Amino acid sequence: MAATAIEDYANFIQYQLSAHGHQAYLVGGCVRDKLLNRPAKDFDVVTSALPDQIVGLFPNSGLVGAHFGVVLVRQGDLQVEVATFRSDGPYLDGRRPQNVHLGASLEADAHRRDFTINALYLDSQTGKILDPTGGQQDLQLRLIRAIGNPEDRFSEDHLRMLRAVRFAAELDFTIEPQTLVAIQNLAPRIRDVAAERIRIELERALPAGGAALFQESGLAAALGLNPTFHAKTSHIAVHWAALLRNHPDGAFFDVLKIPNRDRAWAQALAANADRTGFQDQAEHKRLARQPWYPLLSELTGRDLGTYPASELWPKPLLTGADLQQLGIPPGPQYKQILQDLETAQLNGEITTKEDALKFAIGTTFHEAAGPRQANSQE
Ligand code: ATP
Ligand code: MG
């Protein structure tokens, strides 16, 4: 795979730091993904240089989390997080360390990371990999293994439990048995993690096929969720729809702070999941126009079929101007006439402008004379 600009830039930063006498490596997901031949989401560099030394070398950088020893080095659209080797102080709240110690050794830096496959250090100049925790072997074995004592590591930071499930799903790895047992034992503590962080992990884990593991880990039950839909999907809304069918009150939408668009899609998908047919082509086409429609077959396993775009979105036969020319007084009935006309068009009943004009005259005449008009004015 050809190196991308961001990868080149991360490598450049690493060389520069090395050339100035610091230890410097690519680390974390980008190394793991490179060894797995997967595209990396982001690139992280770690170095023995202290934050002010990093800033000194890369003037175009900002101290994002200076107290965490992280510097954001930027060039145009490119940005790379450059962190100083660190070790973590005690974790008191299940979220973050009370303090961090900068200027730790590479080994100490590795041991504060979550999983062995995430603690690989690459010198991209030489291709040499440093692997203080056995991450390369676990990559071979396709295992998510906590570094050190899993209970301790998950007690420190409860989010790591969900990260384990997410990595296992995304990489199609297994959670190493002792690591899984620790998660099962500590699962109730996931409730202390901020809702958004839980949701962000689920948005990656569930479409990747992680629902079964989410359940097996005990994390789903701890959150009051029963995710029985285990398939991989192209969109999280399919999973929210499936969950909605198991939890019809939909309370999890608020609990997990699910964005409005995903909610709306999930509700529409769930509402149409038992559908087997349509009253007419127009109804089918209007449904097939919805952006979530292709997901319905992922949810139900049944393909209801669709139509070519030209049939879903035929050019309207008439406009409001045409109705005005017919002498129909402008008003709210325009919308209704045009919609009824579109229904007839979608059903293939009307195909020409001439027939459309007749249809429009017919409806208005009928409406003016018939009882429907009188009722609708009540
Ligand atoms: P991806 O970017 O694909 O989500 P990643 O492994 O790069 O995966 P990031 O969240 O980008 O994950 O974090 C970068 C690295 O920082 C991780 O590989 C890991 O070494 C470390 N890390 C991140 N979050 C934690 C955590 N909660 N506990 C311990 N180490 C962590
Ligand atoms: Mg990353």
Side-chain angles (χ1 to χ4, degrees):
M1 209 182 298
T4 56
I6 181 71
E7 182 173 2
D8 286 341
Y9 188 51
N11 291 342
F12 167 81
I13 292 166
Q14 189 233 305
Y15 301 160
Q16 287 293 309
L17 287 160
S18 304
H20 285 81
H22 305 289
Q23 285 177 271
Y25 300 91
L26 296 174
V27 69
C30 66
V31 180
R32 175 198 72 218
D33 291 341
K34 191 181 189 66
L35 295 175
L36 291 172
N37 255 315
R38 293 167 55 93
K41 271 193 95 73
D42 42 41
F43 285 81
D44 295 305
V45 171
V46 72
T47 177
S48 58
L50 293 168
D52 52 336
Q53 295 176 305
I54 302 170
V55 174
L57 280 175
F58 307 100
N60 220 344
S61 59
L63 284 167
V64 268
H67 53 300
F68 286 131
V70 180
V71 175
L72 203 58
V73 178
R74 295 192 214 88
Q75 184 67 57
D77 293 344
L78 306 175
Q79 60 176 47
V80 172
E81 277 194 12
V82 183
T84 302
F85 286 147
R86 66 172 230 217
S87 58
D88 290 341
Y91 283 76
L92 302 178
D93 63 355
R95 260 168 258 195
R96 61 185 77 79
Q98 202 186 20
N99 53 61
V100 303
H101 165 70
L102 299 186
S105 65
L106 182 145
E107 280 69 25
D109 184 86
H111 282 87
R112 60 98 185 160
R113 294 179 184 274
D114 48 5
F115 304 110
T116 60
I117 58 167
N118 287 347
L120 295 168
Y121 297 74
L122 170 67
D123 179 338
S124 53
Q125 211 161 14
T126 62
K128 191 175 160 206
I129 288 175
L130 297 182
D131 178 11
T133 68
Q136 288 181 103
Q137 186 180 332
D138 286 338
L139 272 186
Q140 291 293 317
L141 298 171
R142 305 180 73 79
L143 286 179
I144 307 297
R145 184 196 307 268
I147 294 171
N149 178 302
E151 256 94 8
D152 292 347
R153 303 311 310 289
F154 294 131
S155 301
E156 286 175 354
D157 177 352
H158 310 324
L159 181 68
R160 290 175 187 154
M161 298 191 282
L162 204 45
R163 281 173 61 89
V165 169
R166 188 255 288 181
F167 286 124
E170 283 190 327
L171 303 174
D172 203 9
F173 278 29
T174 310
I175 300 181
E176 178 275 325
Q178 289 186 23
T179 301
L180 181 58
V181 166
I183 297 174
Q184 288 166 330
N185 290 337
L186 297 171
R189 300 210 201 161
I190 196 66
R191 292 195 285 260
D192 299 342
V193 173
E196 283 93 343
R197 310 205 66 176
I198 293 174
R199 194 196 74 231
I200 288 167
E201 295 299 328
L202 291 179
E203 284 173 347
R204 292 176 66 172
L206 298 179
L213 196 50
F214 181 41
Q215 236 177 0
E216 192 191 345
S217 65
L219 292 168
L223 293 167
L225 298 176
N226 181 25
T228 50
F229 183 82
H230 293 172
K232 288 189 193 189
T233 64
S234 61
H235 200 286
I236 186 63
V238 180
H239 293 275
W240 299 145
L243 263 185
L244 185 56
R245 287 162 66 77
N246 291 345
H247 305 278
D249 70 358
F252 67 90
F253 283 132
D254 287 335
V255 173
L256 294 178
K257 303 196 165 124
I258 293 172
N260 285 334
R261 196 199 71 173
D262 291 347
R263 275 182 210 222
W265 284 25
Q267 282 160 342
L269 288 167
N272 284 284
D274 294 323
R275 180 188 279 283
T276 51
F278 302 92
Q279 85 187 16
D280 57 16
Q281 279 196 34
E283 187 192 31
H284 189 179
K285 287 175 181 172
R286 287 200 174 108
L287 216 66
R289 286 172 177 182
Q290 303 301 316
W292 48 262
Y293 180 78
L295 302 176
L296 193 55
S297 59
E298 295 189 31
L299 177 62
T300 63
R302 287 178 284 112
D303 189 354
L304 295 170
T306 188
Y307 297 86
S310 60
E311 290 180 43
L312 289 180
W313 306 97
K315 190 171 182 300
L317 293 167
L318 299 185
T319 64
D322 294 312
L323 300 185
Q324 227 166 337
Q325 275 193 357
L326 288 174
I328 302 171
Q333 71 272 21
Y334 271 38
K335 195 176 163 203
Q336 187 64 51
I337 295 170
L338 293 175
Q339 193 177 326
D340 291 347
L341 181 61
E342 190 199 55
T343 302
Q345 190 183 10
L346 290 173
N347 282 328
E349 293 156 8
I350 294 181
T351 55
T352 64
K353 180 158 185 176
E354 198 188 348
D355 287 347
L357 290 166
K358 281 187 203 153
F359 175 92
I361 294 165
T363 13
T364 45
F365 176 73
H366 178 76
E367 297 232 329
R372 222 175 117 192
Q373 176 84 354
N375 285 343
S376 69
Q377 281 183 345
E378 271 171 20

